[in-house]
Amino acid sequence: MTDDPANKLAYDETFSCIQCGTCLPACPTYKTMGKETQSPRGRINLVKMAAEKKIPLEAIREPIDLCLGCRACERVCPTNVPYGKILESAKEALFEQQKDASSLLKRLEENLFYKQIFPKHQVMAVAGSLLWFYQKSGLKNLAHLTHLTKLLPENLETFERATPDVHVRGMHRAEHVKNETAANYKVAFFNGCVMDAVFGRINDMSVKLLIACGCSVVIPPKQTCCGALHLHGGRRAESKELARRNIEAFEAEAPDFVINNAGGCGAMLSEYPQLFADEPDWKARAERFSQHSIDISVLLAKLDLPLKKTLNYRVTLQPSCHMTNVQKVVNEPIRLIQKLDGVAFHPLDDPDFCCGSAGIYNLINYEPAMEILDVKMADVQKQNPDVIVTTNPGCLLQMRVGIERERLQDRMKAMHLVELLAEACGIE
Ligand code: SF4
Ligand code: SF4
């Protein structure tokens, strides 16, 4: 019965869980839902039982769908349970089970998003331009004045309000931005898909910052979406295809580093080798790629920032879970914030607690995501910052939603770390 989707479950890995429960306090869904089935230990047990055919595969769908994939459980686990691998195997099995049962319309809709939108830079650029037109043409104001946005489902209405102003920079950006005079490093910049379409200004600032720190920057034109959304949706084959395209695109430039500024994408890039466990040639190429792939904060923390301004901000940091738990980047963003003149850093009491963004979790599982966000915002309010700094576009959007929910817009804002550093360096 090799075609049974349950055979895709990472059964052997479930045995490394000794049921100690150390992970329970670290799990945001256990904290907010209070059920064993919504904890790491409970989910691992369910996967094991489904692999043993003691329960139907369908019985694990809800607990797996409600897992944020933040991997805070992995970080605290004394036996190093590979929870990410178990989770991905469950997503893949559930996707395989459902794909033939989905309606034609749902399949068309999903294929449109996963195959025709996210991986295509020009389609994402057009989507960003349409959003820009909606915001700048007066349509957005009109929709709000006439309360048309109230007709949207609550999740879409919330994110419509929280989306930042999009800056249109055209589809054809410079691909090589050289700094021949004093290049510290040759770096290749990873754009991301949503990051480039909605937060393109932060990408532009990232490139300017790298150049200001003496790097030569290349933007490989054939790069594509990192594939994280696909993998987290159980679409492993599509994710591998995107990984292959990125590895080829960046190999061609032979950079010292591949730089990204989105914690979730960076985590995916760092785990490319795991996609190719059965393909030794591609695994070796993926390992070379991942060894060079780092978050922008890791490189900037090593270089001299050309600081020009005193900022006078009280700042807290909401770190990206994938940056903390997968890339293991923790100290560099803090060190960079602490270098800035006039910035007082006030860490969160529980920075490792996910904000509830988790890719598109907050769109699909809106209510649980808002409950998790409320826990995060209570911690934020204790620090009373002027600025919440984040290191991932999803967290940035979620923090903007949190500020709105708590009606703090008049005295608090959310910024990507790159925006804060660029402001301190006088870069726009
Ligand atoms: S996943 Fe790790 S921390 Fe959680 S119960 Fe199992 S062994 Fe303990
Ligand atoms: S990945 Fe996050 S939400 Fe999922 S079980 Fe682990 S700690 Fe809980």
Side-chain angles (χ1 to χ4, degrees):
M1 290 288 287
T2 50
D3 288 333
D4 184 346
N7 293 338
K8 292 195 175 290
L9 295 170
Y11 180 57
D12 292 347
E13 285 75 4
T14 63
F15 284 89
S16 50
C17 175
I18 55 168
Q19 307 287 304
C20 66
T22 307
C23 54
L24 300 189
C27 175
T29 56
Y30 182 69
K31 179 162 185 161
T32 52
M33 299 176 197
K35 290 185 192 164
E36 178 71 17
T37 49
Q38 303 297 355
S39 76
R41 182 174 65 185
R43 291 180 174 117
I44 292 166
N45 276 333
L46 288 169
V47 167
K48 185 189 271 180
M49 287 162 75
E52 290 168 347
K53 319 283 161 74
K54 290 180 178 158
I55 56 170
L57 184 57
E58 197 54 33
I60 72 170
R61 188 176 296 280
E62 189 192 60
I64 292 298
D65 282 351
L66 286 175
C67 172
L68 295 150
C70 67
R71 292 167 66 175
C73 46
E74 248 184 41
R75 189 146 174 256
V76 298
C77 176
T79 61
N80 297 320
V81 171
Y83 181 81
K85 193 170 177 191
I86 296 169
L87 177 67
E88 277 159 22
S89 75
K91 297 254 181 186
E92 193 183 354
L94 290 166
F95 170 71
E96 288 296 322
Q97 186 186 50
Q98 195 176 41
K99 71 175 182 198
D100 297 327
S102 297
S103 69
L104 182 64
L105 188 64
K106 187 159 172 53
R107 270 184 277 162
L108 282 173
E109 188 188 314
E110 288 190 358
N111 282 340
L112 182 72
F113 277 102
Y114 285 109
K115 292 187 177 168
Q116 304 301 329
I117 297 184
F118 291 122
K120 299 201 171 162
H121 175 65
Q122 296 212 335
V123 177
M124 288 299 290
V126 169
S129 302
L130 289 174
L131 190 54
W132 172 84
F133 181 75
Y134 169 72
Q135 291 174 336
K136 298 293 171 204
S137 65
L139 275 176
K140 178 174 177 170
N141 286 343
L142 187 66
H144 282 255
L145 279 173
T146 55
H147 303 292
L148 267 179
T149 51
K150 298 278 175 209
L151 299 176
L152 291 169
E154 192 182 352
N155 56 350
L156 293 183
E157 192 214 342
T158 301
F159 288 99
E160 188 272 346
R161 274 202 318 271
T163 302
D165 284 347
V166 171
H167 291 241
V168 161
R169 7 205 296 255
M171 276 181 265
H172 303 289
R173 301 166 58 198
E175 287 160 4
H176 291 75
V177 196
K178 298 218 189 255
N179 176 352
E180 301 288 6
T181 46
N184 279 319
Y185 297 106
K186 176 183 176 183
V187 305
F189 186 72
F190 181 78
N191 286 324
C193 53
V194 174
M195 190 75 204
D196 213 45
V198 181
F199 299 96
R201 192 171 140 266
I202 299 176
N203 275 358
D204 290 346
M205 284 176 174
S206 301
V207 170
K208 287 179 191 171
L209 259 179
L210 289 163
I211 292 169
C213 290
C215 295
S216 162
V217 184
V218 180
I219 304 173
K222 293 191 176 162
Q223 64 178 295
T224 183
C225 163
C226 68
L229 283 174
H230 301 74
L231 190 67
H232 301 155
R235 297 166 169 262
R236 174 172 286 268
E238 289 163 32
S239 186
K240 273 174 89 167
E241 191 44 45
L242 296 173
R244 281 195 184 93
R245 282 168 57 189
N246 278 326
I247 291 166
E248 277 174 347
F250 283 85
E251 269 176 351
E253 302 292 349
D256 296 317
F257 297 109
V258 174
I259 298 292
N260 73 82
N261 58 11
C265 302
M268 181 72 207
L269 301 180
S270 75
E271 293 200 321
Y272 273 179
Q274 295 183 16
L275 291 173
F276 299 104
D278 302 330
E279 296 175 60
D281 290 353
W282 272 104
K283 185 161 188 253
R285 290 171 75 174
E287 274 166 357
R288 278 195 297 277
F289 172 87
S290 295
Q291 279 157 10
H292 289 91
S293 175
I294 56 173
D295 185 80
I296 190 167
S297 63
V298 176
L299 183 56
L300 292 179
K302 288 186 197 171
L303 302 172
D304 286 331
L305 287 174
L307 298 174
K308 292 200 170 66
K309 282 190 189 167
T310 301
L311 297 181
N312 295 319
Y313 288 143
R314 185 179 167 98
V315 165
T316 197
L317 173 69
Q318 167 50 36
S320 145
C321 299
H322 283 112
M323 207 158 126
T324 303
N325 302 325
V326 182
Q327 297 187 71
K328 318 280 189 225
V329 174
V330 176
N331 295 324
E332 286 85 349
I334 297 170
R335 289 218 309 271
L336 285 165
I337 291 169
Q338 287 176 329
K339 273 186 188 176
L340 305 182
D341 287 339
V343 167
F345 179 56
H346 293 265
L348 294 174
D349 287 348
D350 192 0
D352 297 342
F353 188 85
C354 178
C355 65
S357 163
I360 52 173
Y361 184 98
N362 49 2
L363 269 178
I364 296 170
N365 299 301
Y366 180 71
E367 285 177 13
M370 292 303 112
E371 270 181 53
I372 292 165
L373 176 59
D374 290 345
V375 176
K376 175 60 66 181
M377 289 308 295
D379 194 355
V380 167
Q381 296 240 41
K382 273 195 261 168
Q383 314 315 326
N384 193 25
D386 305 306
V387 179
I388 311 170
V389 171
T390 73
T391 49
N392 186 56
C395 311
L396 183 53
L397 204 52
Q398 184 81 337
M399 287 298 98
R400 288 173 64 95
V401 172
I403 289 170
E404 274 217 359
R405 265 171 92 78
E406 304 291 333
R407 301 189 201 292
L408 297 168
Q409 302 93 311
D410 295 340
R411 62 182 178 87
M412 199 183 288
K413 61 181 174 179
M415 293 173 90
H416 191 287
L417 175 64
V418 162
E419 290 179 285
L420 185 75
L421 300 177
E423 188 176 336
C425 294
I427 290 170
E428 293 180 354

